Every structure is written in C-alpha cells, then in structure tokens.
Amino acid sequence: MKKIILVLIFVISGFSSFAQQGKPDPQYKINSSADWVQAKNYYLLTLIQKDAAVSKMLAADPELAKLTRQKADACNASLACKDVNCFLTNNKFTDADIKQVSERLKALCQPSNSLGRLVQTQLIPSGMYFIYKDLSPAELLVKAWEQDAAGVNYVIDVYAGGQKPNYPQIDSISFDVKSKRYPTLLYDAAAVLSEDAKNAKLFFEPSMRAALLYLEINGRHDPANYEPMEATVNKAAYDQIKITKWNTYPYSMILVPGAGAEDLMTSITAEGMIRCRLAAQQYFKHAAPFIMVSGGAVHPYKTKYCEAEEMKRFLIETMHIPASAILMEPHARHTTTNMRNGARIMFRYGMPMNKPAVVITDRSQTNGIINMAARCMKELKYVPYKLGNHISDTEVEFYPLPDALQINPYEPLDP
C-alpha cells in the first residue's frame, strides 16, 4: 500500500513539476497530419483528433456527446437559413458551449489518464500555448481550448460574416457579403458542412470544419504554404544547421524582413533588393552562417508573389549566396511576425537561442523594431525577442525567445 501511495505521489508531483516548468521541447515535432492550416490554428483540437485514447474518452463523455449532436443538428438547421447571421450562429460556438466544455475538460483531466498525458507529452512541449505556462495542467488545457474556440469563431466571423480583420487591406474576406447571391454561397457551404457533420464524433468538429471550409473557399491556405519547410524550401539549410560551428561566427543568423509591392506585377521591390544586398555584404564578411528572408504573399491584396521566395531567388541568382545558407520564412504578414516567425524557426531547427542574431533592413524599419515592444504586446500578447545592440541605422541585434511559439488565434493566415 505504501508503495502505491509513493508511486502516486511521484506521478502527481512529477506531472505538476513538468507543467510548472512550462518549457517547450526543441526536439518537438508538430503533429500536422497533412493539414497545416488546422494544426497551426487549432493545435489542441488537432491533437485530440489524432490521439485515439483521448478521442474515445471525450466522445464517450455524456455531456460532450450531447454537445456533439447539438452542433451537428445546428449544421443541418443551416439549410433553412435565409440570411448571413443565421449561418454564422449555427456554425459558431456559443459562450455556453465554451464554458460547458471548459468545465468538462477540467474535470476529466487527470495526471494518470490519456488527457492528462496529452497535456504533459504534447501540449506543453509544443510551446504553442506558452503564455499559459505557469498554470496547472488542467488550467492550461482549458485555456488552450478557449483559445482554439475563440480562433474558430473569429474565422467564421471574418471569412463567412465579413467582419473586418485586424488588417483589412490584406486579410479581408473575398466576397461581398451584402450581395444578393452571397447567401446562396453560404447555403452551398452549409450543404457540405451538414453532410460532414453526420460523421462528427467530437464536440468541436462541426464548428472547426466550418472555419476551415470558409478559409478554403476564400483561398486562404497561407499557413500551409511550403510546409513542411525543413523537407522542402529549407532542406539544404536545415541540413547545414546540424554541422555548423556556431562559435566561429559573431551572429547565428541574419534576418531580412520583406517589403511588399504596391502592384500585382512586381515580384521583388527596390527595398527588398537593397535589404538583401545589405545582408549579403555581412554574410560575405562572415558575420553569420545563415540569412533568413522573411515575408509571406501579403502586399498587395491576394498577390501571387511571396516576399521570402523572391528574396531567396535574388540572393541566389544575383548575390550568389548558396541555397544551403538561406532560410525561408514565407508566412509573416507584419514586422512583428517577421521577428516572431524568425524566432520560431530558430527554436524548431535547433539554432542557438543564447547567441545573438541580427536584423538587417532599412533605417525606418530598424527604428520601428527598436520601438516595437508595445505593438507586439497589443497584437501578440508578448514580445518574441530580446533586443541587443543597435549596431547601425540598418542593423540591430536580437535574441529569440521561446514565447514566439505561442499561437495567435486572431491572425489565422499566420497564427
């Protein structure tokens, strides 16, 4: 009996200790299951779907099973909708839904069961809910659920309802929601969702599927672009990282933020070329073993050109930098996420986090980065880097922080 008690104490204390540390694992691999848009936006929900034991537990819970049926029924009821708000209401999670699930997850999460192990072995090591690192495992689970649910509702509001996103000029819905024909499109989407809902086994699946479908019909697959990058566009550099002698360089990496065009015909802007040339000059001076070009397909609205891809091409073809020295970060839509996504790649790829990197850009953006902490707190809820020395008008040092791994549920095109 004493042995059993001691084992239980060890398991519970170890579980609590691990959770309190809240440290993401540099070796952790994101479980994308071939759907990067879903995994990057709703990681907890993705993990639940892919964990057979957790899925079985939650599907068997009477309260959650009842909610699953209610959400499936709501999808079916959308076929009778005549206006946009009706479709949205039937797709989204209500405040009561979210609260009910929070209470059930907190009650069900135990150190010794599959749900508790998911928190310990997946949720915490992923770092994707890092801002909740100081909470208990059950509380962290609840916050992760509430964040994912808020993210689902946000996508439905923006990409089905036409609500203005944080940056309307680049991220808005593709349709005129006031058009007489628009409810017909939502009806057609509802027919797809109603059929899918017949197979729903988990409470969140009907609403999450709605959010993903709305992103899809808007052509917003941005989070999935080029993934998995370490096996595609970044493979040569990713392999080189493993054999790099970091102590022979003052910096781990040179980060070059993209500069968007004003027209649909321009592939790389003058600013982008100048930033690349500044970075190449420092690369050839042996300042860092890698250049990371950062920027998605952002400006102008629905452009076909990805800033990072075009800068990489310029560096290879014009500046003669080897592909093995260039890392692409092709998802950032703002300066805040140039920094955040750069830090994410550095952590995920095993680059040193205690060695400074350097941002090389034009003077105005350098000044913006130096004074960007308040903007980061407003948009990301954390600052993903620590600044080092302000070297020149075009260069500033920074240290990446693991906070950068945290998902932003209100930027679904680059969460």
Side-chain angles (χ1 to χ4, degrees):
M1 183 66 179
K2 287 183 178 179
K3 288 183 178 180
I4 294 173
I5 293 172
L6 287 171
V7 169
L8 286 173
I9 291 172
F10 175 79
V11 170
I12 293 170
S13 63
F15 184 63
S16 300
S17 173
F18 190 95
Q20 288 168 1
Q21 290 173 9
K23 292 182 179 179
D25 181 359
Q27 305 300 319
Y28 184 84
K29 300 299 181 185
I30 296 172
N31 185 345
S32 69
S33 302
D35 190 337
W36 284 94
V37 176
Q38 176 182 322
K40 286 187 175 181
N41 277 284
Y42 318 120
Y43 196 55
L44 169 63
L45 306 187
T46 300
L47 291 176
I48 290 172
Q49 275 189 329
K50 302 307 173 184
D51 189 310
V54 173
S55 293
K56 184 177 180 180
M57 173 198 291
L58 300 184
D61 181 78
E63 284 191 42
L64 297 180
K66 181 179 179 181
L67 180 58
T68 304
R69 293 191 296 272
Q70 290 172 347
K71 302 309 290 183
D73 289 344
C75 277
N76 190 55
S78 293
L79 296 174
C81 287
K82 303 296 183 183
D83 62 82
V84 173
N85 285 334
C86 177
F87 289 106
L88 303 188
T89 300
N90 286 331
N91 288 158
K92 290 166 59 177
F93 295 113
T94 66
D95 290 344
D97 294 337
I98 296 172
K99 181 179 179 182
Q100 179 186 10
V101 174
S102 293
E103 291 173 351
R104 290 308 299 147
L105 291 178
K106 189 171 184 179
L108 291 168
C109 183
Q110 300 297 326
S112 58
N113 67 19
S114 58
L115 187 57
R117 287 192 292 274
L118 181 142
V119 177
Q120 181 179 6
T121 63
Q122 296 286 337
L123 216 58
I124 294 174
S126 77
M128 296 173 83
Y129 301 90
F130 190 74
I131 60 174
Y132 310 119
K133 62 184 181 296
D134 295 327
L135 300 179
S136 71
E139 291 170 336
L140 186 149
L141 174 64
V142 167
K143 287 294 186 182
W145 149 247
E146 291 173 352
Q147 176 180 299
D148 282 11
V152 166
N153 283 352
Y154 181 82
V155 165
I156 293 170
D157 280 334
V158 173
Y159 293 103
Q163 175 180 300
K164 283 188 176 182
N166 294 331
Y167 289 85
Q169 289 186 330
I170 56 174
D171 296 340
S172 292
I173 191 172
S174 302
F175 311 103
D176 178 3
V177 298
K178 296 180 180 179
S179 165
K180 291 182 179 180
R181 298 181 61 183
Y182 185 61
T184 301
L185 177 63
L186 289 186
Y187 173 86
D188 293 340
V192 173
L193 295 170
S194 177
E195 186 65 25
D196 285 347
K198 294 176 182 178
N199 300 316
K201 293 181 172 59
L202 294 164
F203 59 91
F204 57 81
E205 288 177 331
S207 293
M208 183 181 72
R209 179 58 191 143
L212 293 172
L213 180 61
Y214 293 135
L215 285 172
E216 181 179 82
I217 64 175
N218 276 272
R220 297 298 195 171
H221 48 72
D222 301 66
N225 290 346
Y226 307 97
E227 294 288 6
M229 292 190 295
E230 64 269 26
T232 57
V233 293
N234 284 340
K235 186 179 188 311
Y238 180 72
D239 291 341
Q240 186 65 29
I241 286 170
K242 301 171 187 176
I243 58 173
T244 297
K245 296 179 180 179
W246 301 102
N247 60 358
T248 63
Y249 299 89
Y251 299 111
S252 59
M253 179 266 287
I254 297 167
L255 177 63
V256 185
E262 295 183 0
D263 64 84
L264 290 168
M265 301 302 293
T266 300
S267 60
I268 183 170
T269 62
E271 293 93 336
M273 288 186 278
I274 289 171
R275 293 174 187 181
C276 285
R277 284 187 173 275
L278 289 168
Q281 287 173 348
Q282 293 306 310
Y283 171 81
F284 286 123
K285 290 179 181 178
H286 207 69
F290 299 98
I291 297 174
M292 184 185 296
V293 284
S294 173
V298 185
H299 299 282
Y301 181 77
K302 290 292 187 78
T303 179
K304 66 179 180 179
Y305 293 111
C306 170
E307 294 168 9
E309 183 176 23
E310 298 306 320
M311 288 193 294
K312 179 179 180 179
R313 181 177 290 110
F314 182 85
L315 286 172
I316 292 173
E317 295 179 359
T318 304
M319 304 309 300
H320 309 294
I321 307 289
S324 60
I326 304 172
L327 289 159
M328 266 180 61
E329 186 295 293
H331 301 116
R333 305 180 73 77
H334 318 290
T335 307
T336 52
T337 47
N338 288 138
M339 301 294 290
R340 182 200 67 182
N341 294 359
R344 283 180 177 177
I345 288 178
M346 293 178 74
F347 185 88
R348 298 288 189 204
Y349 287 11
M351 299 174 78
M353 299 290 281
N354 59 354
K355 187 180 184 71
V358 60
V359 182
I360 295 184
T361 183
D362 53 67
R363 181 170 60 181
S364 62
Q365 191 174 45
T366 298
N367 291 334
I369 290 168
I370 292 170
N371 297 290
M372 198 167 65
R375 181 181 169 192
C376 286
M377 290 302 299
K378 180 181 178 182
E379 297 183 7
L380 306 176
K381 310 306 179 189
Y382 58 87
V383 181
Y385 58 88
K386 183 176 72 173
L387 288 177
N389 295 320
H390 183 185
I391 305 168
S392 71
D393 284 346
T394 59
E395 299 168 289
V396 59
E397 295 177 348
F398 74 98
Y399 295 83
L401 298 177
D403 307 56
L405 303 175
Q406 168 69 36
I407 294 170
N408 182 354
Y410 303 112
E411 289 285 345
L413 308 188
D414 180 28

